[in-house]
Amino acid sequence: MSLLIKNARVVDYSGERFKDVAMCNGLISAVEESIEPAGFYEVIDAHGLVLMPAACDLHCHLRDPGYPQKETMETGMRAALAGGYSTLTAMANTAPVIETPEQVMANHHRAKSLGLCRLVQAAAAGVGLEDAVPTDRKALSSVTCVLSNDGKTIFNDDFMENLLIDSTKYGFVVSTHCQPERKMIKRDLALLEKVGGNLHVGHISHRETVDMLRDAKARGLRVTCEVTPHHLFGYDMDYKVNPPIRSKADTEALIAGIAEGTVDCLSTDHAPHTVEDKHKGMAGISCIEHALAIYYKVFSDNGLPLSLMSKLCSYNTNKRLGLNGGSIECGKLADVVLFDPKCIWMIDDKKMLSRSHNTPFIGREVLGRVYMTVVGGKILYDYGQTQQSGSI
């Protein structure tokens, strides 16, 4: 299978340029001023649309296995493709909890058989997502690079310290869920300074958290963090998510943290629920299919370049997972999106592909439309606005 995209405005972490991009055998094979179409299976004329690396999500919930009424792997991945995502890191708070190598491999096998998004299935750090009995982290590290008790906070200091030690020993990333946010992140940073480790702080929301992380990085601590679309797009709202949507000052601090480099990654924390569950007060938001448009609206409004957005959505997230994607370069994964940065549209729950439509942003205006998502050189989502030149 070979694919050629011509006349594209190529944007990635390194900047932007107008290029033709060829893909073959799942990888980007050429990035040149002009590539002749002869010999390519499929040719797409981008007509100046942005071609950038597909997004890689470090934090989402596919609810699979156990909660098909909320989401399935297939519905979540189809929503993700519509949102420009090629790779998903799914949390382990399913039913049953993903806590053994066999469960991780079963989900990886299901994802491969679907042929939609790439899946990094996170595993629980503690049995039953509790901070009492550790899972077999050595065995789990052979099948996944992310361990997380997300959905529950690790309150046990000794458990967290040993988890950080194991993350260095076995080479996995610890992705945290911190409630109360500032107290637990302060504790985790102190433990990181004490014993080291591969710490990734999930879905930060508070301006004081940005201050703590900026200081930690200035002191040489190796830590990364992420921000969600809803914590950038909303403020002073009572819509139930964890952590809460906070004040305008907090939102502004998160944006400043992005601009200065304190924030490393943009992750969705896509957390679908049924209408009934939301009425009962469950925390979560369905956002993966309009996350990039929210991000770009925020970036555009604050004078931040699309190349920086690509860095935080693709380059840094691929790097954190040790994957060969996130940039438009020869030899990299042929996971790309065609994106129109000028398209203005409104979030419409009736058009969402996710099984759950829980979002407070219905009717809100966003910027930028994903027209095509390519994974491994194969077109898996096509909004219908690009023009195909024909098979050669």
Side-chain angles (χ1 to χ4, degrees):
M1 175 69 74
S2 60
L3 175 67
L4 173 61
I5 299 181
K6 294 186 67 63
N7 304 313
R9 176 188 160 200
V10 173
V11 176
D12 63 9
Y13 79 100
S14 66
E16 61 178 83
R17 58 274 190 204
F18 278 88
K19 297 285 185 178
D20 290 355
V21 178
M23 297 163 235
C24 187
N25 297 323
L27 300 176
I28 295 173
S29 56
V31 182
E32 299 177 10
E33 296 292 337
S34 180
I35 300 174
E36 291 299 317
F40 284 90
Y41 177 80
E42 194 162 7
V43 180
I44 302 293
D45 190 334
H47 292 290
L49 289 178
V50 167
L51 178 71
M52 61 185 187
C56 170
D57 196 359
L58 275 177
H59 192 137
C60 73
H61 301 266
L62 296 179
R63 307 300 192 198
D64 201 342
Y67 302 102
Q69 72 277 19
K70 299 174 185 280
E71 194 79 284
T72 66
M73 189 180 294
E74 181 174 0
T75 60
M77 286 185 170
R78 292 194 183 280
L81 289 170
Y85 284 81
S86 65
T87 303
L88 307 178
T89 306
M91 295 295 105
N93 58 338
T94 54
V97 172
I98 305 294
E99 58 187 29
T100 68
E102 292 76 19
Q103 290 169 312
V104 172
M105 289 188 293
N107 262 15
H108 284 166
H109 177 74
R110 290 189 59 210
K112 188 173 182 180
S113 66
L114 285 172
L116 298 171
C117 294
R118 303 179 193 274
L119 177 67
V120 176
Q121 178 59 62
V127 174
L129 294 178
E130 302 294 340
D131 54 3
V133 179
T135 51
D136 188 343
R137 296 165 185 167
K138 180 179 180 180
L140 286 168
S141 66
S142 68
V143 294
T144 185
C145 59
V146 179
L147 266 63
S148 178
N149 273 8
D150 186 72
K152 293 188 177 182
T153 298
I154 297 173
F155 291 107
N156 186 317
D157 293 356
D158 291 338
F159 184 95
M160 186 64 188
E161 182 174 327
N162 288 323
L163 178 59
L164 288 171
I165 291 170
D166 284 347
S167 73
T168 299
K169 185 176 181 180
Y170 301 123
F172 58 80
V173 175
V174 177
S175 179
T176 60
H177 176 93
C178 297
Q179 286 182 267
E181 181 177 315
R182 289 165 288 176
K183 178 181 178 180
M184 301 316 300
I185 292 175
K186 182 178 180 181
R187 187 276 312 266
D188 291 348
L189 291 174
L191 290 175
L192 182 68
E193 189 164 27
K194 176 183 177 183
V195 301
N198 299 315
L199 178 63
H200 177 75
V201 182
H203 41 49
I204 69 170
S205 66
H206 203 287
R207 58 189 180 277
E208 291 181 22
T209 302
V210 178
D211 294 339
M212 282 192 287
L213 288 164
R214 183 190 304 111
D215 175 70
K217 291 184 175 190
R219 289 186 287 114
L221 294 187
R222 297 182 62 185
V223 58
T224 56
C225 67
E226 67 188 35
V227 172
T228 72
H230 41 287
H231 288 109
L232 295 175
F233 200 45
Y235 53 85
D236 298 326
M237 301 174 65
D238 59 3
Y239 192 82
K240 187 70 178 292
V241 290
N242 285 329
I245 294 174
R246 302 194 188 274
S247 70
K248 185 177 182 181
D250 292 307
T251 298
E252 291 172 344
L254 295 175
I255 295 169
I258 289 170
E260 72 189 16
T262 298
V263 174
D264 306 274
C265 304
L266 298 175
S267 303
T268 69
D269 197 12
H270 174 71
H273 286 298
T274 64
V275 173
E276 293 75 19
D277 284 342
K278 286 302 292 181
H279 285 163
K280 292 175 184 176
M282 295 197 76
I285 185 171
S286 297
C287 61
I288 201 162
E289 54 203 285
H290 43 255
L292 290 189
I294 288 177
Y295 289 140
Y296 190 56
K297 169 69 172 169
V298 172
F299 273 55
S300 180
D301 287 350
N302 288 277
L304 300 176
L306 184 56
S307 58
L308 179 60
M309 185 180 108
S310 180
K311 181 179 181 180
L312 271 64
C313 287
S314 302
Y315 182 77
N316 285 356
T317 48
N318 272 274
K319 184 178 180 180
R320 198 67 175 100
L321 294 172
L323 302 177
N324 183 35
S327 62
I328 307 296
E329 301 175 85
C330 289
K332 296 295 184 180
L333 291 174
D335 295 1
V336 300
V337 296
L338 277 177
F339 183 79
D340 182 359
K342 297 180 180 179
C343 181
I344 300 171
W345 56 286
M346 290 191 299
I347 296 172
D348 183 351
D349 58 325
K350 296 180 178 60
K351 295 181 179 179
M352 291 174 66
L353 299 181
S354 171
R355 186 158 286 183
S356 300
H357 301 165
N358 46 297
T359 173
F361 300 134
I362 296 168
R364 287 281 299 273
E365 190 175 90
V366 289
L367 181 63
R369 171 76 75 180
V370 172
Y371 281 144
M372 182 174 288
T373 304
V374 176
V375 182
K378 298 179 181 179
I379 300 170
L380 296 185
Y381 174 79
D382 187 352
Y383 188 71
Q385 300 300 311
T386 55
Q387 293 188 12
Q388 184 173 316
S389 298
S391 301
I392 303 300

